[in-house]
Amino acid sequence: MIPTEKRTYQQIRTVERLLSAYQQEAHGIPLARFLAGFYKQNPQMGAKDRRMASRLAYHYFRMGNAAGQSEFPLQLAIAEFLCSEESTVAELLLPALYPAIHAPLDEKVALLEKHTPFRFLEVFPLLDQLSAGIDPRRFVLGLFEQPDLFLRLRPRYAANVIATLERAGIDFRRVGDFTVALPNGTALARIPGLAGNYEVQDYSSQQTGRFFRASSGESWWDACAGAGGKSLLLLDSYPGVQLLVSDMRGSILRNLDERFQAAGIQSYRQKIIDFTKKDTAAVLGREQFDGIILDVPCSGSGTWGRTPEMIAAFQAGAIRRFGALQRQIAGQVVKHLKPGKPLIYITCSVFAEENEGVVRYLQDHHHLHLEHMEVLQGYHHRADSMFAARLIMKRL
């Protein structure tokens, strides 16, 4: 066995051991967090070995359920052929196909289906449950690519950020006037002069701001604020808004406080609200708002390009559970919306039951009428896919 071949088989065995440990020990934790612990337990792995193991693991999961009955080395070779433009694993185990590794994804899929057990329709078995605005084939093809890292630039700092990235020799592309895309994993913290001039926010997430249309002096509530990305987008776009943020997790709201402090935002209110345990009236009384952002807990299926371990692990029954939770939360939140004012309903899901299904529920049961809804097709931009709807409370 020549040295390169021996080394390649060592890499295959390493990632097989890693994935076996993940399936036995992870219990649903994100792959990225598991890898950090795995490498800590295996300090003999150098930086190059860790990078290669991580790449192979992520590429393996991007295949979802396709080629699941094949031997592991072949599965890994198929994944590398799909997701890479250079691979010793694919070169060793798929020598006849390897010259086409630079071909477009559609061509590589056709070659794999003709010459290997890989079947495209087995990658993502829930295509019949997608929202109407999702192109099923393009969505699945997007799962084979790592999404980019997106920065939302604060307008007064945009020119400085662009100039700083250029001086540092960072590869990036412009996406609109105040958005740039960089390769995922770009070490921004190591670039002096950038801190405070941007927010890390996916491109589709930034596009939800088109639905806000707030006015200075209005009172808005970000009901499931998380770490505050949508709130910061709202306040950067409409600085005169009076904002309440809430979440059920105190720890995540502390992260929000840190982000707001870094952005120089001090004037806002904050409350811990668990929509599954208490009526909102116990916290908010009869308070009503001029606008509510409701970025609900969801399957996260629009972000699985970043967490491909979820593709095969996800169970269809979870869609119904998320839909029920979303309807419950929305039903509590809309009681605090003024007549004639907007509810901005957002998910990072591609499933119709979490998207159009909840919109229909809100129209049928909570006196809201739909002004506009849209699937944000992230696969056109190497971004996440999301759903957003603007609904208006009827005047009774």
Side-chain angles (χ1 to χ4, degrees):
M1 185 179 293
I2 61 175
T4 301
E5 184 175 337
K6 180 179 180 181
R7 176 66 173 161
T8 300
Y9 276 114
Q10 287 175 341
Q11 291 170 341
I12 293 171
R13 287 192 293 270
T14 295
V15 77
E16 185 173 22
R17 179 169 62 90
L18 183 157
L19 292 174
S20 177
Y22 178 70
Q23 291 163 357
Q24 294 174 16
E25 304 169 14
H27 305 298
I29 70 169
L31 178 60
R33 190 189 309 170
F34 172 82
L35 289 174
F38 182 86
Y39 297 145
K40 187 175 182 179
Q41 295 172 6
N42 293 269
Q44 76 280 4
M45 296 180 67
K48 187 175 181 179
D49 292 332
R50 294 194 296 269
R51 285 194 298 271
M52 178 55 71
S54 295
R55 165 182 149 167
L56 292 172
Y58 273 96
H59 287 179
Y60 170 83
F61 281 119
R62 290 187 188 283
M63 282 204 307
N65 294 294
Q69 303 304 312
S70 304
E71 293 293 324
F72 179 77
L74 179 57
Q75 291 180 1
L76 206 57
I78 291 171
E80 279 282 276
F81 180 77
L82 271 175
C83 303
S84 306
E85 294 186 348
E86 182 179 3
S87 169
T88 56
V89 175
E91 185 177 20
L92 178 63
L93 296 174
L94 295 172
L97 300 186
Y98 190 74
I101 198 168
H102 293 283
L105 272 172
D106 273 319
E107 293 182 23
K108 292 203 280 189
V109 166
L111 286 169
L112 288 172
E113 289 198 308
K114 183 176 181 180
H115 298 288
T116 76
F118 174 86
R119 295 296 176 265
F120 182 79
L121 291 178
E122 295 175 358
V123 174
F124 190 86
L126 302 172
L127 296 178
D128 60 335
Q129 301 198 46
L130 295 178
S131 283
I134 296 289
D135 178 333
R137 185 172 183 84
R138 188 64 192 86
F139 169 71
V140 174
L141 289 173
L143 295 174
F144 302 140
E145 301 176 321
Q146 171 67 42
D148 285 333
L149 171 68
F150 289 90
L151 307 184
R152 179 172 61 82
L153 312 184
R154 294 200 166 87
R156 64 183 180 275
Y157 300 127
N160 176 62
V161 172
I162 297 301
T164 301
L165 292 174
E166 289 175 342
R167 284 196 302 270
I170 301 298
D171 181 29
F172 70 93
R173 60 186 171 92
R174 299 290 296 267
V175 188
D177 293 334
F178 303 111
T179 305
V180 297
L182 305 93
N184 200 281
T186 302
L188 295 171
R190 298 179 183 177
I191 305 173
L194 285 182
N197 294 352
Y198 67 88
E199 291 292 334
V200 174
Q201 186 172 27
D202 181 78
Y203 179 71
S204 294
S205 181
Q206 295 183 41
Q207 294 306 298
T208 63
R210 294 189 280 107
F211 291 74
F212 296 167
R213 302 203 294 276
S215 297
S216 181
E218 286 187 336
S219 173
W220 278 62
W221 176 26
D222 189 350
C224 298
K230 306 296 189 307
S231 290
L232 287 168
L233 179 60
L234 174 69
L235 293 177
D236 279 346
S237 303
Y238 307 97
V241 163
Q242 301 171 33
L243 180 66
L244 169 68
V245 296
S246 68
D247 200 275
M248 64 181 291
R249 302 157 294 176
S251 59
I252 203 77
L253 288 175
R254 286 191 289 274
N255 292 339
L256 179 148
D257 288 336
E258 292 176 2
R259 291 185 72 184
F260 275 35
Q261 183 178 5
I265 296 171
Q266 298 179 341
S267 180
Y268 64 99
R269 294 186 296 146
Q270 180 193 107
K271 293 183 182 294
I272 296 176
I273 303 178
D274 185 344
F275 296 106
T276 67
K277 293 184 178 179
K278 65 170 63 175
D279 191 294
T280 51
V283 180
L284 297 177
R286 296 184 177 181
E287 183 173 5
Q288 291 194 311
F289 298 88
D290 296 298
I292 299 175
I293 300 171
L294 185 58
D295 188 356
V296 288
C298 70
S299 63
S301 44
T303 70
W304 287 351
R306 300 186 192 276
T307 56
E309 65 271 22
M310 291 297 301
I311 298 170
F314 188 77
Q315 300 296 316
I319 301 174
R320 293 188 295 275
R321 292 193 293 274
F322 277 115
L325 175 63
Q326 291 151 2
R327 293 190 294 272
Q328 176 187 354
I329 293 173
Q332 293 210 56
V333 165
V334 296
K335 295 182 296 184
H336 299 278
L337 184 62
K338 293 178 182 179
K341 298 299 184 177
L343 171 74
I344 315 302
Y345 178 79
I346 301 170
T347 78
C348 52
S349 172
V350 295
F351 294 128
E353 185 166 344
E354 299 182 86
N355 297 338
E356 298 97 322
V358 175
V359 168
R360 285 194 299 271
Y361 165 80
L362 289 169
Q363 292 176 282
D364 292 343
H365 297 279
H366 290 286
H367 308 294
L368 290 156
H369 76 262
L370 176 64
E371 187 173 280
H372 178 62
M373 68 178 178
E374 183 180 343
V375 173
L376 303 170
Q377 301 164 329
Y379 45 79
H380 291 311
H381 306 281
R382 292 183 67 98
D384 298 335
S385 290
M386 300 184 67
F387 175 86
R390 180 180 167 95
L391 300 109
I392 308 299
M393 178 61 73
K394 295 178 181 177
R395 299 180 187 274
L396 301 180

